[in-house]
Amino acid sequence: MKSPNSAGLHRPTESAGLNTKAVHSESSEAYKNRAVSCPIYQTSAFAFDSAEAGARIFRGEEAGFIYTRIGNPTIEALQNTVAALEHGNYGLATASGMAATSTTLLGLLKSGDHVVCSYAVYGPTHVLLEREMSRFDVRSTFIETSDTDKVRDALTPGTRLLFVETPANPTLTVTDLAACAELAHSRSALLVVDNTFASPYLQTPFDLGADVVVHSLTKFINGHSDVVGGMIVLRDEKLHKQLRSVLTTLGGTMDPHQAWLVLRGVKTLGLRVAQAQASAQKIAEFLRGHESVAWVSYPGLPDHPHHERARRQMRGFGAMLCFGPKGGFPAAQRVLNRVQLCTLGVSLGGVETLIQHPATMTHAGMSAEAKAAAGIDDDLVRLAVGIEDVDDLIADLDQALAEG
Ligand code: LCS
């Protein structure tokens, strides 16, 4: 990172740790007047010094802001921050996580291309590929990407993109990113990773060979359940130029106020995820020992099928888990209706613990067959652990699971 700022402000070095980079976001323009907190450039347009200067900026011969859909100092500060956290070079902020995914797919694929995608992805991502991209003659094959052999078998000479979510929403299966990157590249395909569940605090897919990282900033990165936003992160300059142009043309860009809120939230990313994942581990162990619980999926449990893989490619096991109460669907609904501290609602990654039922909520748009293939069964309850005191969360789950 380079900074023209004078001493003492916003200068994280390349080798700085995640918390340092999260707190000291960099944008030479945004912090021009030595503001400690990034100002909000709540403007749609920027004035040019002269007709000639305006023309030079439009031609790309001179740096300068033009119009907020194309660029804005507050949004740039967020883009730089998230790119630094992800060990990437460029960020493209989007109106939502889905805008990040849809812009990436529309920007990288053309008619006739083939996509390989994880069975278990956020429901609308599956729908986007199956229902929308197929209208443009983009064909998708959904597979269990945590099984590397299945990835190898699914890639064809026409495969342009391998889309992976790991840990997966909502099943928490873990895909081997380094192996996927190698396989995708051997077929001249790109590896796109949705890193929302892990967050860059726990996993940096570029270090494992990914080409594009997408995020729902709505989740851990913002962390306060008060913003919807997304980000595309890139290392490669050519891919950045391509997707930047597609994003500004399609228009799914971010608003400066949205960017400012996320800049505020991201400062505590490390602290929040550290607390939430420590609680998730305790809750997973509690649930596994509970007589009313049939099964628990959390990568931090030694008997999780991908525990060792998660240990290798992540710096912690995350704050997401799912479990099946004994008694199937009615038992799952009973738990959801009985919790008092855990909030019954979709989303994740906020300071408050959220509980929901993917089969009838976040993944309801998927066909019964697709849900079955992904392991999104009727008894599956998803828990997004927040930063409350863990004993309070365990007491709440215990009373919700109690007989009678
Ligand atoms: N990727 C993942 C892994 C997600 O979990 C979500 C949203 C998105 C992308 C889309 O992000 P958005 O457009 O909402 O910012 N996941 C949600 C969930 O599991 N419950 O509610 C939203």
Side-chain angles (χ1 to χ4, degrees):
M1 271 178 280
K2 55 188 184 324
S3 172
N5 289 354
S6 49
L9 269 179
H10 314 301
R11 305 188 79 172
T13 60
E14 200 76 63
S15 60
L18 178 132
N19 289 315
T20 306
K21 287 178 175 168
V23 169
H24 295 279
S25 58
E26 173 165 343
S27 167
S28 50
E29 278 306 309
Y31 295 96
K32 228 172 185 172
N33 293 314
R34 298 179 62 74
V36 170
S37 165
C38 184
I40 314 175
Y41 281 75
Q42 196 69 46
T43 181
S44 55
F46 298 82
F48 305 125
D49 284 342
S50 66
E52 293 77 8
R56 282 197 300 277
I57 293 170
F58 261 91
R59 283 199 300 271
E61 294 166 9
E62 188 176 311
F65 292 99
I66 297 173
Y67 185 64
T68 284
R69 177 163 48 75
I70 301 168
N72 173 291
T74 313
I75 297 170
E76 185 187 75
L78 179 64
Q79 292 180 155
N80 291 347
T81 302
V82 176
L85 300 183
E86 276 293 352
H87 302 169
N89 293 324
Y90 310 95
L92 293 169
T94 56
S96 66
M98 285 313 298
T101 301
S102 60
T103 301
T104 300
L105 297 183
L106 286 164
L108 297 178
L109 297 168
K110 63 178 188 329
S111 167
D113 283 345
H114 177 238
V115 176
V116 174
C117 179
S118 308
Y119 269 142
V121 283
Y122 177 51
T125 302
H126 183 103
V127 173
L128 171 64
L129 281 166
E130 197 178 58
R131 223 178 283 163
E132 310 300 343
M133 296 305 292
S134 58
R135 293 190 290 113
F136 304 99
D137 192 28
V138 170
R139 200 169 49 82
S140 299
T141 304
F142 296 92
I143 56 153
E144 184 50 66
T145 51
S146 64
D147 183 340
T148 306
D149 290 337
K150 295 248 164 58
V151 177
R152 189 176 293 110
D153 293 346
L155 292 167
T156 69
T159 308
R160 168 80 178 126
L161 202 143
L162 171 59
F163 190 101
V164 167
E165 221 183 85
T166 181
N169 186 0
T171 54
L172 281 309
T173 53
V174 176
T175 291
D176 185 337
L177 289 178
C180 281
E182 207 179 309
L183 284 170
H185 297 160
S186 74
R187 296 283 193 164
S188 305
L190 297 172
L191 174 63
V192 180
V193 179
D194 184 332
N195 203 29
T196 299
F197 259 40
S199 91
Y201 181 65
L202 300 179
Q203 178 171 275
T204 33
F206 287 126
D207 298 336
L208 302 164
D211 301 288
V212 183
V213 172
V214 291
H215 268 288
S216 168
L217 302 178
T218 318
K219 317 302 179 199
F220 292 100
I221 290 185
N222 178 59
H224 293 75
S225 309
D226 50 11
V227 185
V228 170
M231 184 78 72
I232 305 167
V233 194
L234 301 143
R235 257 192 184 172
D236 181 73
E237 189 184 355
K238 208 167 135 243
L239 278 181
H240 169 245
K241 272 198 179 141
Q242 186 179 341
L243 287 178
R244 185 173 187 272
S245 164
V246 172
L247 175 63
T248 56
T249 307
L250 292 180
T253 48
M254 188 176 266
D255 176 82
H257 189 253
Q258 220 180 337
W260 180 79
L261 279 165
V262 183
L263 272 171
R264 186 159 101 151
V266 74
K267 291 178 202 289
T268 54
L269 172 69
L271 305 183
R272 287 183 283 103
V273 176
Q275 161 95 0
Q277 74 166 346
S279 299
Q281 181 77 39
K282 286 189 184 155
I283 292 169
E285 285 164 10
F286 159 76
L287 290 172
R288 210 196 23 197
H290 200 288
E291 58 184 10
S292 303
V293 174
W295 59 269
V296 182
S297 177
Y298 178 66
L301 293 176
D303 60 1
H304 183 282
H306 311 130
H307 176 68
E308 281 310 318
R309 178 181 292 166
R311 187 183 285 288
R312 271 199 312 277
Q313 81 178 12
M314 299 174 73
R315 292 180 283 274
F317 301 108
M320 300 298 300
L321 61 92
C322 60
F323 65 98
K326 281 183 189 160
F329 182 51
Q333 285 209 308
R334 193 163 161 269
V335 171
L336 294 175
N337 284 326
R338 286 176 62 159
V339 287
Q340 288 171 5
L341 177 59
C342 302
T343 302
L344 174 56
V346 295
S347 201
L348 57 117
V351 290
E352 55 289 289
T353 298
L354 287 168
I355 192 164
Q356 66 115 356
H357 184 249
T360 57
M361 296 175 182
T362 45
H363 294 68
M366 289 166 65
S367 67
E369 298 75 42
K371 280 190 273 193
I376 304 168
D377 297 326
D378 277 351
D379 68 337
L380 189 155
V381 173
R382 191 187 78 181
L383 195 69
V385 179
I387 64 166
E388 302 95 334
D389 292 299
V390 66
D391 291 345
D392 295 331
L393 293 171
I394 287 176
D396 187 35
L397 290 165
D398 198 26
Q399 66 79 26
L401 284 161
E403 294 291 319

